[in-house]
Amino acid sequence: MTRFILNRIFLAIPTLFFISVIVFYLSKLVPQDPVLSLMDLRGVDTSIDHDDVYEKIYKELNLDLPNFYFTIQPSHFPKTINQTFDTNKKDLYLKLLNSGYSFVDIEKAINNFSQKLDAAKASNNAADIIELNKVYNLESPEQHNGLAHLNDSKPKSFFWPSFYLNGFNNQYHKWLQSIFTNGFGISILDGMTAILKVKKALTWTLSITLIDFFLSLLFGIFIGTYLATNEKGRWQKTFSQILYFLYSIPVFWFATMMVVYFTTDDYGWWTDWFPSVAIDIYPGKSTFQQILMNAEKFILPILILTLHSLAYITRLVRRSVLDELDKPYALLAFSKGLDKTEVIRKHILKNALIPTITSMASAFANAFAGSLVLEVIFNIPGMGRLLVSSMESADWNVVFCITLLLSFVTIVSFIIADILYAYVNPKIELNAKT
Amino acid sequence: MKINLAYKSIGLSTKQFCGLLVFCLFAIAHNFIANDKYLIGKTQTGFGLFVESEDAKYGIKAIIPYSANTVDKYNRKVGPFSKQKVSSLYYRHWLGTDSIGRDVLAGIINGSYIALLVGLFTVIISLILGIFFGFLSGYYGDTGVQLRKPTFVLWMILTLLCWFYSFYTFGFVAFIFFILPLLVLGFLVNNVSGISRGGFCFPFDTIIFRMIEIISSIPGLFLILIILTVLGKPSIWNVIIIIGLLRWPIVARHLRAEILKIKEEQFIDSAKSIGQTDVKIFLYHVLPMAASPLIIISAFGFATSILLESTLSFLGIGVPLGEVTWGSLIKEARFHFDAWWLALFPGLMIYGLIYLFNSIGDNINHKIRNI
Amino acid sequence: MRYLSIVCSLIFLLSCQSDNSKNERSTQLEEVNIRIDRDPGLINPFYAYTSIGRNVFPYLFLPLADFHPETLQISPILIEEIPSAKEVKVNDQILLAYDLTMKEDAVWPDGKPLTAKDYLFTIAMIKHPESKISAWRPYFTAMKKIELDKSNPKKFRILLDSSYMLALEAALTCYVMPSHKHDPNGFLTDNIDNIFNESYTTNDSTEINVVEAVNKTMNEKKEIFQIGPYFISDFQIDEYLILEANSDYWGKNYPDVPALQANPKKIILRIVPDEITASSMIKDGQLDFMEMRNSNTFLDLKNDDNFNKVWTFHVPQVLRYYFLCLNNKSPIFSDKIVRRAFAHLVDVEDIMENIDGGLGIRTTGPFHPTKTYYDKTIPSTPYDVEKAISLLKEAGWNDTDGDGIRDKIINGKKETLKVEFLFTGSQLAKNIGLLFQETAKEAGVEITLVKKKLALMNKENLDVFDYDIAALAVTVDQADDDPYSRWHSDSAVPGKRNKSGFSNVTADRLIEKIRTTRDKKERYQAYKDLQTVFVEEQPVIFLYCPLQKFIVNNKLDAVTTSKRPGYMANTFKLVE
């Protein structure tokens, strides 16, 4: 068993590595300039040119280093392209390099060009500045050549790859290090460490998802077994219908309808079923205490979430119990005249839950996604709301912190599911590969 | 009668089939059902399609005389039962209007078009990728593809080069470069497979399973939100492609399991022994047998994609703003508690469609189990 | 089915009983709960602060003088009275001298008196090259010297030149830093004459250490040591921020100065991003005061009979105007006829009356209608599609290829009237865009809506004049407008604040006249002339000035004003 667990954890490491690489490159794709955001945070007036400050922060954020442990790029690309800190210039370099001009030619042409731009700026000639800026953005192919004055130098039409090793002195490595030492960097909104913000939000989300998860599991197994074993029972049809209804209903719509109609008495005296949706923050209390004090406010969101995942789990359990009931051992047990509930409880349920367990992990991950929408609607300061608000304000450190953390939680829940699976079904351990 | 048989044979009930038909009809003909222009109008130059009302002398109007974006400024936020300032019953807003006076019914019709677009294309993308990878991992497994070591080294070099160039070229050429190594591998395998001992086994199963694990480890909705925000420009096609890319692992996993079952059968070996190629065996023998589970997954996938899209529109991310979708209508309802029709009708549509596709999936499932 | 639903509803009813015991009345106002829609983030007015930060720092930081929330005249806070100018000759230059005295009993929280040295230190920090308060520097270029009074530590004199019409306002509305805390040895204050020199640089490590130490405090919320009536006792990001009144505050000797009041013992600012949630919180009695953005929700609540018994609705003016910024440098909008045609395509009355619930005042220019120099006789541009079409035809835009969209050959290139409408994502701006889209379609113009964050929009579009139309709002000050930065052609270069790129010789001349004329009557005439130019040229489409929307609990005696943020929570009292 220990070997299996170790093996499973060992296998998760490459997964985590790849996810971190994906997240890292996503963070590089973000349209926001991290240096400018930090300058804003530090109160540097970004409307004025601050090349020196910009460069300082650029280096501070390690943006001048190569991206990864190794670099593969066309041979005429310079090794130190990241050291150009002026983003416009860098884009220009890349565009021209991509069309095959050699670095030396480009540098010459750009120096030429920036002198012109400086002259235009000095004389405050607006029309010229705009025209030159357009060239800088390379809006049309003619400008391409026009700018570059590269008419006398020929672009390469074919290039070979070259390969460099960068060692540990690269952005990805430093980024990974900063996660452990620095907690994902700081939020550009308030200068607080991203991980601290996320931690607090996670407490809220986890408490909701865990309660939801256990409640739906408890009722799901019970109802699912009931439905499967009483195919012609009295409640069978009603329950199935309700469950089908709950299974198909979109969470966000359900929640919106409940909030709109059943938290106020606007539509009649009898519609005020639930307390209003606003979480009451009691200042000075810990997050956990806050959750306890707001217990009644959680009834509606947890109810909605639970009903939704209940439908999912019940269907799973019902399906696998039905499958087990068809198996010879069950038929034998019944034909021997054993007590029905006893057989179901002792034999069938145990076997039926095995396939259910693997689905639990994804059900848990689903619960997170479901809570995202609910947090937005119910104003719960959890991960979902934090994610949406951070994305709106381009607070990317927090966003990527949430993504990595959630992936981690998902992977861990997958591992736990696998281990549980192996525990209840030792056969798996022997031929387990994935 | 024939069509009757066709849908019955895969397990659809008449009700479901009609529902599907009506939905597709609404979606495809959305421009003809709800439009503020003349569908066919007589202008000075002759007859034309979609003629502006001012230019036309006469013509045929649509059943609903409003497009999804038409603003009726005399009827803002009116309910279906409240008094409306309209000239005749024909111009009545049967399901009310939103806060700036757009017809909800026309919006719902437009929303059904978006829903079909999203559902259909995400399913197609996920099927193409899922079948491809599912085939590789299920059919070949970890030991099915053997290469001579030198061939493998050459192939690796080719792959790296191709991917390198696909990174520095754009558009269709990049795609060709990306896919080329796999095609070449197909040729190499057919020549080499099973001949050499001690060659290099290409571990498709392990690699693809790792890929699937990585993709399913990142919470889908979160990832979609982030990618869409990073991409910046809202477009329905971005939404479709990303949902499609995130959903193929499910298809691949089920297909793999199915193939593992089918591979045990005798006829695969006999087909191999008469010299059928792997691709032919897969297309003519394996895929038809695995079709039913794939249809089920597609039906559920359709429902999930629609749900995801409407959730995204509800959060206001990814879908262009001028576009009226079911999710965007419900979003509007959150700002107007008293306008119950804004939340109710589009929500019922989403619910109805998801219910339809889920029950279709279930019915087919049921049918297969009972054969 | 029926049984089940009854059982379910019974369970629900039993389990959820709303708790309304909150609205207990007491005689002393213990706390007020105020909703803000985002975390204030940075709140130090010296450094960067967010627009939400404005809801926080007025209770912590105090300026020498500020605009009075009711009279809107500049009135003293930390100083005894607003000084009058004396002309003084220094080094052959005529300067305006103002004598100021700090209030006698004004003390810092540690009991040390507020002195002229504190102000001197603040100015030194603003002017110091190593300091990060760079945003403030341009407003203080007109300040040439500060002289301390040797006999009275509270008395000092500032000397300004006349290069900037708002120099005195800037000098007086400046907040003060405690010099005894940051610079007890006087490294900076003793060196003040050098620091006033524009080209001053230093390598003196003791001096730089002082400046750096102050720079480091800028993001610290709990460390704020200031002279205001409140201090931050607790905060949780994205949840709340609690301000607690200083015990035995010196400001209670001045009941007529609103900024010095500390009536509620606690001000709790609650961060509730979602307006719907906020409105249900207010129904629950968890909030005492809130600002709303969405007029519809506001009016719905106002018309709710149960609700308006407990709550009052305030709609004070705010010095803000909405406009659709047109890119005057693009080939389409460089033609003023096209700009005028587009102005005819926006049904401003309809938007204001029906979409924004009638909570606004129509404006024809960038000056707020409540300002004395606003010319009410100028008629606003009416909504008239026919007129717009004829104007577009006049400008040479015709639909030559029959696709329903007008086109024109400009500089040998065929341009079509397809324009992008940028907005920041507010519900109102979206609705304006959707309506504009529809009316524009009739005139043969295609508009696509693009949502973009303001910071990104600024960087990618507005700053480089790469856009067509952008829906923007501008908030202005109580002081007389200085149109230079937004409408002068000097500012119409990339990176400066004239985002529309408007440049007009007559307008430039008038703006320069406004900036340098000291005679009020003459200056106001220039303002009026400038408005005529704006109507004629239509540099942007001016929409209207919105009203602020506040909901106040009836138990509170709250005064709302047009001074940002529209209320002063420290003056709230219980209704007797």
Side-chain angles (χ1 to χ4, degrees):
Chain A
M1 195 68 194
T2 332
R3 235 190 109 191
F4 174 78
I5 295 173
L6 282 178
N7 186 30
R8 198 60 199 77
I9 291 171
F10 181 70
L11 273 175
I13 290 171
T15 314
L16 265 177
F17 170 74
F18 275 111
I19 289 175
S20 72
V21 173
I22 291 172
V23 170
F24 172 72
Y25 274 98
L26 265 181
S27 75
K28 300 254 96 186
L29 278 178
V30 161
Q32 202 100 9
D33 186 345
V35 182
L36 283 185
S37 316
L38 205 63
M39 274 163 81
D40 278 338
L41 183 70
R42 293 190 183 168
V44 184
D45 185 3
T46 40
S47 61
I48 314 165
D49 273 346
H50 277 287
D51 275 355
D52 48 334
V53 185
Y54 191 97
E55 195 176 352
K56 217 166 102 192
I57 298 178
Y58 190 83
K59 288 205 170 124
E60 192 182 313
L61 292 173
N62 294 321
L63 294 172
D64 56 332
L65 301 178
N67 281 349
F68 203 59
Y69 294 105
F70 57 84
T71 316
I72 301 175
Q73 58 184 24
S75 54
H76 68 283
F77 274 46
K79 217 172 163 181
T80 52
I81 183 77
N82 275 355
Q83 284 175 11
T84 321
F85 66 88
D86 182 346
T87 30
N88 282 340
K89 217 174 182 176
K90 196 165 143 190
D91 287 349
L92 194 62
Y93 273 136
L94 284 177
K95 268 180 191 164
L96 290 171
L97 283 168
N98 267 327
S99 42
Y101 289 105
S102 83
F103 187 63
V104 186
D105 289 343
I106 297 169
E107 223 171 20
K108 227 189 268 165
I110 286 185
N111 277 340
N112 224 330
F113 173 77
S114 50
Q115 276 169 11
K116 260 193 198 168
L117 191 66
D118 284 346
K121 269 185 187 161
S123 62
N124 225 348
N125 188 339
D128 269 11
I129 296 178
I130 293 160
E131 206 41 53
L132 289 169
N133 263 326
K134 266 189 191 157
V135 180
Y136 226 48
N137 296 331
L138 285 187
E139 280 180 352
S140 68
E142 308 96 68
Q143 284 165 342
H144 216 124
N145 298 326
L147 150 93
H149 293 287
L150 294 167
N151 303 332
D152 38 333
S153 63
K154 267 194 187 143
K156 278 184 197 168
S157 52
F158 185 78
F159 41 80
W160 287 104
S162 54
F163 180 87
Y164 314 104
L165 274 178
N166 300 320
F168 290 129
N169 204 14
N170 64 62
Q171 282 187 46
Y172 171 76
H173 192 81
K174 299 269 163 163
W175 179 76
L176 218 56
Q177 266 181 347
S178 81
I179 289 177
F180 295 108
T181 56
N182 207 355
F184 286 92
I186 53 171
S187 153
I188 58 153
L189 286 186
D190 41 38
M192 204 170 137
T193 326
I195 193 100
L196 276 177
K197 279 181 107 165
V198 176
K199 232 192 210 158
K200 214 163 57 209
L202 189 66
T203 325
W204 289 89
T205 305
L206 262 185
S207 56
I208 294 174
T209 23
L210 282 177
I211 294 174
D212 147 57
F213 190 63
F214 284 113
L215 280 180
S216 53
L217 208 59
L218 194 72
F219 289 108
I221 291 173
F222 179 73
I223 298 173
T225 322
Y226 171 81
L227 287 181
T229 48
N230 298 285
E231 281 272 63
K232 290 183 183 64
R234 240 181 106 190
W235 294 102
Q236 163 75 25
K237 212 159 177 198
T238 322
F239 262 130
S240 313
Q241 287 294 327
I242 293 174
L243 283 175
Y244 221 95
F245 171 75
L246 291 173
Y247 183 65
S248 300
I249 200 166
V251 176
F252 72 92
W253 182 53
F254 192 27
T256 310
M257 296 290 279
M258 291 305 267
V259 171
V260 171
Y261 300 125
F262 294 108
T263 58
T264 63
D265 49 7
D266 289 356
Y267 290 92
W269 57 269
W270 54 276
T271 55
D272 193 9
W273 287 9
F274 297 101
S276 84
V277 294
I279 296 294
D280 206 351
I281 299 295
Y282 297 90
K285 297 283 193 310
S286 76
T287 316
F288 190 66
Q289 280 169 316
Q290 305 266 14
I291 293 170
L292 284 182
M293 292 165 97
N294 275 304
E296 64 161 36
K297 301 278 165 73
F298 276 118
I299 292 172
L300 190 54
I302 286 180
L303 184 79
I304 291 169
L305 210 51
T306 308
L307 285 179
H308 187 72
S309 35
L310 180 72
Y312 177 74
I313 288 173
T314 312
R315 281 166 63 87
L316 272 176
V317 173
R318 178 172 165 265
R319 189 73 266 163
S320 50
V321 169
L322 277 179
D323 283 350
E324 288 302 316
L325 281 175
D326 281 346
K327 288 193 175 153
Y329 79 91
L331 292 174
L332 180 73
F334 285 129
S335 60
K336 268 162 76 181
L338 291 176
D339 180 39
K340 198 179 166 193
T341 36
E342 195 82 334
V343 175
I344 290 167
R345 200 162 54 88
K346 275 197 173 160
H347 305 287
I348 292 182
L349 203 53
K350 202 178 150 196
N351 287 325
L353 286 187
I354 293 172
T356 317
I357 285 172
T358 35
S359 307
M360 290 300 149
S362 49
F364 192 63
N366 278 342
F368 265 104
S371 75
L372 185 149
V373 182
L374 286 186
E375 278 164 20
V376 175
I377 295 173
F378 287 91
N379 195 43
I380 300 164
M383 299 270 262
R385 207 188 85 180
L386 184 66
L387 182 87
V388 173
S389 69
S390 309
M391 270 191 330
E392 273 169 3
S393 43
D395 196 356
W396 292 104
N397 282 342
V398 177
V399 172
F400 292 118
C401 177
I402 292 176
T403 325
L404 263 191
L405 214 74
L406 273 190
S407 313
F408 184 72
V409 171
T410 323
I411 290 174
V412 167
S413 64
F414 277 150
I415 293 177
I416 293 174
D418 276 0
I419 293 170
L420 274 178
Y421 195 50
Y423 179 73
V424 289
N425 192 1
K427 210 166 66 185
I428 306 294
E429 198 184 322
L430 295 172
N431 48 20
K433 212 183 157 282
T434 47
Chain B
M1 268 295 106
K2 245 188 181 166
I3 192 159
N4 204 357
L5 280 175
Y7 74 77
K8 281 252 158 94
S9 68
I10 56 166
L12 260 67
S13 73
T14 314
K15 253 190 234 164
Q16 288 165 346
F17 184 70
C18 290
L20 205 60
L21 215 61
V22 169
F23 165 63
C24 289
L25 200 79
F26 272 142
I28 294 165
H30 70 281
N31 259 336
F32 293 91
I33 293 171
N35 208 323
D36 54 351
K37 295 177 188 150
Y38 283 105
L39 296 182
I40 300 169
K42 172 89 167 86
T43 57
Q44 283 130 353
T45 51
F47 285 96
L49 270 177
F50 299 127
V51 183
E52 291 280 355
S53 18
E54 296 99 58
D55 304 343
K57 287 178 189 154
Y58 57 88
I60 305 168
K61 281 223 130 187
I63 305 169
I64 302 155
Y66 300 104
S67 290
N69 275 319
T70 316
V71 173
D72 179 358
K73 69 179 195 179
Y74 303 105
N75 292 300
R76 287 205 166 114
K77 219 164 93 175
V78 289
F81 306 122
S82 50
K83 211 165 173 260
Q84 298 181 355
K85 287 181 211 127
V86 287
S87 53
S88 72
L89 221 54
Y90 173 62
Y91 284 98
R92 198 180 160 78
H93 301 277
W94 293 103
L95 297 186
T97 58
D98 72 356
S99 65
I100 62 166
R102 292 179 297 178
D103 190 60
V104 173
L105 186 53
I108 285 180
I109 300 284
N110 190 61
S112 69
Y113 162 68
I114 303 279
L116 180 75
L117 212 64
V118 171
L120 195 66
F121 282 97
T122 49
V123 163
I124 289 175
I125 292 172
S126 65
L127 272 184
I128 291 174
L129 288 173
I131 288 176
F132 182 70
F133 286 112
F135 162 67
L136 287 182
S137 83
Y139 194 82
Y140 290 115
D142 272 350
T143 53
V145 176
Q146 279 195 353
L147 294 172
R148 286 201 192 90
K149 265 178 193 153
T151 324
F152 174 72
V153 172
L154 278 177
W155 181 79
M156 274 306 283
I157 293 171
L158 175 84
T159 312
L160 287 178
L161 267 180
C162 279
W163 286 356
F164 170 74
Y165 286 117
S166 82
F167 198 79
Y168 285 99
T169 44
F170 301 98
F172 192 65
V173 187
F175 177 71
I176 293 283
F177 269 131
F178 194 77
I179 221 80
L180 191 70
L182 284 167
L183 296 176
V184 172
L185 185 69
F187 285 107
L188 293 177
V189 170
N190 273 335
N191 298 337
V192 182
S193 171
I195 300 169
S196 73
R197 279 176 166 276
F200 182 83
C201 291
F202 202 85
F204 272 127
D205 202 23
T206 313
I207 292 175
I208 289 169
F209 232 81
R210 280 297 110 216
M211 262 160 74
I212 291 176
E213 196 179 70
I214 290 169
I215 292 178
S216 47
S217 294
I218 308 178
L221 186 59
F222 285 69
L223 190 63
I224 293 175
L225 284 179
I226 291 167
I227 295 178
L228 285 175
T229 322
V230 168
L231 287 179
K233 249 203 168 118
S235 129
I236 199 86
W237 288 104
N238 284 344
V239 176
I240 289 173
I241 290 170
I242 293 164
I243 297 179
L245 286 179
L246 285 177
R247 283 198 62 79
W248 70 260
I250 300 169
V251 179
R253 208 154 42 190
H254 278 86
L255 186 66
R256 175 179 173 275
E258 208 61 30
I259 291 175
L260 287 182
K261 252 191 257 167
I262 297 168
K263 254 169 76 176
E264 311 276 296
E265 309 264 350
Q266 286 280 316
F267 69 89
I268 302 287
D269 285 338
S270 23
K272 259 187 189 165
S273 66
I274 60 164
Q276 283 269 44
T277 60
D278 289 344
V279 177
K280 269 193 179 163
I281 294 173
F282 177 71
L283 285 181
Y284 293 132
H285 305 293
V286 178
L287 203 54
M289 285 189 76
S292 311
L294 289 189
I295 293 174
I296 298 167
I297 293 166
S298 304
F300 289 133
F302 212 106
T304 320
S305 305
I306 289 169
L307 181 64
L308 263 177
E309 184 273 320
S310 53
T311 311
L312 288 176
S313 317
F314 178 73
L315 293 172
I317 293 167
V319 181
L321 286 146
E323 203 73 74
V324 184
T325 67
W326 296 340
S328 72
L329 283 169
I330 298 178
K331 183 187 180 190
E332 187 92 352
R334 285 196 60 205
F335 299 103
H336 307 281
F337 269 30
D338 49 341
W340 52 270
W341 57 93
L342 282 177
L344 188 68
F345 298 119
L348 277 180
M349 287 301 288
I350 303 176
Y351 164 68
L353 204 62
I354 293 174
Y355 183 90
L356 178 69
F357 277 99
N358 280 344
S359 65
I360 286 175
D362 274 354
N363 272 17
I364 302 172
N365 201 358
H366 201 69
K367 179 100 180 171
I368 294 165
R369 281 167 185 272
N370 288 350
I371 289 174
Chain C
M1 189 70 199
R2 204 175 60 208
Y3 295 117
L4 189 85
S5 56
I6 292 170
V7 170
C8 281
S9 42
L10 265 180
I11 292 171
F12 292 153
L13 284 172
L14 288 176
S15 59
C16 339
Q17 281 167 348
S18 44
D19 161 30
N20 284 327
S21 58
K22 275 224 150 111
N23 298 334
E24 278 173 28
R25 287 197 164 225
S26 61
T27 44
Q28 163 73 22
L29 186 55
E30 287 294 326
E31 56 173 57
V32 280
N33 287 275
I34 294 169
R35 177 243 177 178
I36 50 180
D37 62 352
R38 258 171 299 147
D39 193 88
L42 306 167
I43 54 165
N44 195 323
F46 288 110
Y47 295 95
Y49 60 89
T50 55
S51 57
I52 298 295
R54 261 181 207 286
N55 292 296
V56 185
F57 69 71
Y59 312 123
L60 309 169
F61 295 80
L62 290 178
L64 297 188
D66 205 351
F67 294 94
H68 193 278
E70 280 165 60
T71 60
L72 298 178
Q73 296 301 314
I74 197 153
S75 57
I77 293 176
L78 292 180
I79 48 173
E80 298 279 5
E81 57 188 4
I82 301 295
S84 47
K86 283 177 212 138
E87 288 194 0
V88 189
K89 204 166 178 190
V90 182
N91 302 339
D92 301 334
Q93 200 187 356
I94 305 261
L95 294 179
L96 299 171
Y98 297 91
D99 287 320
L100 302 161
T101 318
M102 298 287 191
K103 278 204 167 97
E104 200 51 50
D105 43 3
V107 287
W108 295 97
D110 57 1
K112 295 261 166 52
L114 173 77
T115 62
K117 232 179 184 179
D118 294 322
Y119 187 73
L120 190 60
F121 174 73
T122 313
I123 300 297
M125 273 304 292
I126 290 170
K127 295 234 170 195
H128 199 277
E130 297 294 318
S131 148
K132 287 185 178 164
I133 319 181
S134 54
W136 285 59
R137 220 168 286 156
Y139 303 109
F140 288 84
T141 46
M143 186 181 281
K144 294 297 167 199
K145 207 173 163 58
I146 300 179
E147 285 167 359
L148 301 189
D149 193 312
K150 298 242 164 43
S151 56
N152 185 352
K154 297 232 169 203
K155 241 177 140 173
F156 61 106
R157 159 181 281 198
I158 53 176
L159 294 144
L160 310 170
D161 70 10
S162 53
S163 62
Y164 182 47
M165 67 174 197
L166 297 175
L168 179 66
E169 276 85 348
L172 289 183
T173 52
C174 175
Y175 299 90
V176 189
M177 286 181 176
S179 71
H180 69 276
K181 194 98 179 166
H182 295 306
D183 186 21
N185 299 325
F187 291 126
L188 244 59
T189 42
D190 294 350
N191 198 15
I192 190 74
D193 289 336
N194 287 330
I195 293 174
F196 265 94
N197 187 346
E198 293 290 328
S199 55
Y200 173 74
T201 51
T202 180
N203 291 320
D204 184 3
S205 65
T206 46
E207 201 178 300
I208 291 173
N209 281 345
V210 170
V211 177
E212 287 288 312
V214 180
N215 281 341
K216 264 185 196 146
T217 59
M218 62 195 224
N219 287 342
E220 301 287 343
K221 271 188 205 147
K222 281 208 174 164
E223 306 293 305
I224 289 172
F225 181 85
Q226 272 296 338
I227 199 156
Y230 287 83
F231 65 96
I232 296 180
S233 70
D234 191 12
F235 70 95
Q236 285 291 332
I237 299 210
D238 266 348
E239 286 174 17
Y240 60 85
L241 195 135
I242 301 177
L243 302 168
E244 224 168 291
N246 284 316
S247 55
D248 208 23
Y249 187 60
W250 60 271
K252 67 179 173 222
N253 304 335
Y254 301 91
D256 50 340
V257 182
L260 296 176
Q261 303 312 306
N263 288 336
K265 279 189 182 156
K266 263 185 187 175
I267 299 175
I268 303 180
L269 298 163
R270 292 172 169 238
I271 297 134
V272 188
D274 190 69
E275 207 139 83
I276 313 299
T277 318
S279 62
S280 62
M281 277 174 89
I282 210 161
K283 279 180 190 166
D284 262 21
Q286 292 176 29
L287 293 173
D288 302 312
F289 185 92
M290 80 176 269
E291 184 189 352
M292 282 206 129
R293 301 256 164 189
N294 192 326
S295 319
N296 289 299
T297 329
F298 184 76
L299 291 177
D300 284 350
L301 290 174
K302 197 176 177 181
N303 295 331
D304 184 338
D305 285 336
N306 289 331
F307 193 76
N308 57 26
K309 273 178 210 144
V310 193
W311 300 88
T312 5
F313 298 82
H314 291 218
V315 280
Q317 299 275 355
V318 57
L319 299 183
R320 182 185 295 148
Y321 62 93
Y322 294 149
F323 66 106
L324 302 180
C325 195
L326 305 174
N327 181 4
N328 285 226
K329 300 205 176 210
S330 77
I332 296 173
F333 293 116
S334 51
D335 186 353
K336 86 174 177 197
I337 303 176
V338 178
R339 296 199 296 263
R340 272 177 32 210
F342 270 69
H344 282 296
L345 284 176
V346 188
D347 195 350
V348 183
E349 293 296 329
D350 181 42
I351 291 167
M352 196 175 82
E353 292 302 329
N354 301 322
I355 304 295
D356 209 12
L359 300 171
I361 304 168
R362 188 75 197 265
T363 177
T364 52
F367 309 126
H368 197 274
T370 52
K371 297 245 164 130
T372 37
Y373 45 80
Y374 179 82
D375 193 345
K376 291 191 179 70
T377 54
I378 298 172
S380 50
T381 320
Y383 168 64
D384 188 348
V385 182
E386 296 306 318
K387 185 81 195 286
I389 292 174
S390 68
L391 279 173
L392 283 175
K393 277 184 187 153
E394 186 191 325
W397 290 91
N398 290 304
D399 184 10
T400 55
D401 47 8
D403 61 348
I405 298 159
R406 286 170 196 279
D407 45 64
K408 184 186 174 182
I409 311 258
I410 300 175
N411 301 335
K413 231 171 115 189
K414 189 176 166 188
E415 301 271 355
T416 48
L417 266 187
K418 287 184 184 170
V419 291
E420 267 188 3
F421 180 94
L422 290 169
F423 70 105
T424 52
S426 84
Q427 193 74 8
L428 178 69
K430 192 181 109 184
N431 284 341
I432 292 175
L434 287 170
L435 289 173
F436 195 13
Q437 200 176 31
E438 273 302 299
T439 49
K441 222 189 264 169
E442 290 173 34
V445 180
E446 187 182 290
I447 294 180
T448 29
L449 268 60
V450 178
K451 179 176 153 184
K452 219 172 209 184
K453 283 163 224 137
L454 188 62
L456 221 56
M457 199 199 284
N458 266 326
K459 195 184 152 214
E460 291 180 354
N461 308 98
L462 301 178
D463 280 355
V464 293
F465 298 109
D466 180 15
Y467 69 99
D468 301 313
I469 304 174
L472 298 173
V474 162
T475 312
V476 289
D477 271 329
Q478 272 80 21
D480 287 353
D481 291 278
D482 178 8
Y484 178 78
S485 66
R486 287 193 187 276
W487 308 105
H488 197 277
S489 62
D490 280 1
S491 315
V493 290
K496 288 203 177 162
R497 284 175 77 193
N498 187 346
K499 308 287 188 202
S500 64
F502 172 65
S503 55
N504 179 290
V505 185
T506 330
D508 284 0
R509 201 170 38 76
L510 285 168
I511 291 168
E512 278 151 25
K513 193 175 169 193
I514 289 170
R515 275 170 72 88
T516 47
T517 312
R518 286 189 69 205
D519 176 43
K520 265 198 177 169
K521 217 172 173 187
E522 214 174 308
R523 200 165 79 207
Y524 286 0
Q525 190 51 46
Y527 275 118
K528 286 188 175 175
D529 294 344
L530 188 58
Q531 282 171 70
T532 329
V533 176
F534 279 135
V535 171
E536 173 62 24
E537 290 285 325
Q538 285 287 346
V540 300
I541 304 172
F542 293 105
L543 300 177
Y544 60 96
C545 300
L547 298 177
Q548 264 173 318
K549 296 168 273 285
F550 292 117
I551 302 181
V552 191
N553 195 322
N554 273 347
K555 74 175 182 189
L556 283 184
D557 176 11
V559 179
T560 51
T561 103
S562 70
K563 183 177 170 351
R564 279 186 287 174
Y567 61 93
M568 295 190 84
N570 59 335
T571 60
F572 289 0
K573 272 185 237 156
L574 277 180
V575 175
E576 274 125 35

